[in-house]
């Protein structure tokens, strides 16, 4: 969304309050937010927001992995550095996803951050299954990744 911090003018048209902060929102986006909540109801709007956040997470993940692959190609880094970088990407992307959904929903922020992290992991696992034709062969590693995704999403929600 095209949101920027407000400088205190509370009665202006197009201002959205998120927590204690006020944000300027383009008029058409404000109308979309209000129409979405009215048409779909509160729960459906939340799930639609979750889908948008997950899509943004996967786009950011793809872009960062492409950048990482070019960096690793140039420096011939080891596999340990690659695994560490991928875990850092999981932490960053899920933290940002939890932060965004927490700032937007303002209720049960930690729970929605946790949901973002778990759904991100589940979709990542499904994509991996489709490509590799098998689930994780290292179950402790998969559980660690699940914990990292869920924990960083929840932390992002709590910080928001």
């Amino acid at each position: 969304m095209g949101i920027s911090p407000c400088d205190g003018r509370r009665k202006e048209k197009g201002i959205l309050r998120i927590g204690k902060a006020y944000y300027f929102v383009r008029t058409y986006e404000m109308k979309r937010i209000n129409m979405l909540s009215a048409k779909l109801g509160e729960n459906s709007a939340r799930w639609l927001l979750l889908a948008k956040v997950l899509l943004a997470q996967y786009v950011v993940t793809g872009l960062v992995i492409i950048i990482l692959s070019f960096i690793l190609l140039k420096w011939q880094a080891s596999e340990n550095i690659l695994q560490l970088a991928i875990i850092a990407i999981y932490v960053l992307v899920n933290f940002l996803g939890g932060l965004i959904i927490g700032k937007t929903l303002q209720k049960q922020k930690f729970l929605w951050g946790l949901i973002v992290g778990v759904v991100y992991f589940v979709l990542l696992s499904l994509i991996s299954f489709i490509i590799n034709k098998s689930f994780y062969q290292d179950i402790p590693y998969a559980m660690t990744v699940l914990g990292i995704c869920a924990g960083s999403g929840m932390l992002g929600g709590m910080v928001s």
Side-chain angles (χ1 to χ4, degrees):
M1 281 187 223
I3 298 176
S4 61
C6 176
D7 59 0
R9 295 174 281 179
R10 296 176 66 161
K11 296 188 179 191
E12 248 182 73
K13 188 175 184 182
I15 294 180
L16 175 67
R17 181 169 188 232
I18 300 176
K20 294 179 182 177
Y22 291 87
Y23 294 89
F24 287 119
V25 179
R26 291 183 219 142
T27 315
Y28 72 91
E29 289 176 348
M30 192 66 170
K31 288 178 185 174
R32 281 181 53 205
I33 291 169
N34 292 336
M35 284 176 30
L36 209 87
S37 294
K39 279 185 182 177
L40 300 175
E42 186 109 6
N43 279 340
S44 296
R46 287 179 182 169
W47 292 106
L48 183 61
L49 176 66
L50 177 69
K52 287 181 180 182
V53 168
L54 286 167
L55 179 64
Q57 282 180 293
Y58 280 108
V59 168
V60 170
T61 300
L63 292 174
V64 173
I65 286 178
I66 289 171
I67 293 168
L68 177 67
S69 66
F70 284 121
I71 291 172
L72 293 176
L73 181 66
K74 183 168 181 130
W75 286 326
Q76 302 293 322
S78 69
E79 187 175 325
N80 291 338
I81 292 176
L82 176 65
Q83 285 182 341
L84 186 66
I86 288 174
I87 289 174
I89 292 170
Y90 291 156
V91 170
L92 174 72
V93 167
N94 284 296
F95 179 82
L96 291 175
L99 189 73
I100 291 168
I101 204 160
K103 280 209 179 285
T104 307
L105 293 180
Q106 284 298 305
K107 291 182 181 178
Q108 299 175 329
K109 299 186 276 188
F110 70 95
L111 179 64
W112 281 100
L114 177 71
I115 290 170
V116 164
V118 170
V119 173
Y120 178 87
F121 172 78
V122 168
L123 289 176
L124 189 69
S125 298
L126 286 174
I127 292 168
S128 177
F129 176 73
I130 290 169
I131 292 172
N132 297 328
K133 305 287 190 238
S134 68
F135 279 112
Y136 293 98
Q137 295 184 7
D138 187 9
I139 298 298
Y141 177 75
M143 293 299 108
T144 302
V145 171
L146 173 62
I148 288 170
C149 290
S152 59
M154 187 169 53
L155 182 64
M158 291 186 325
V159 168
S160 65

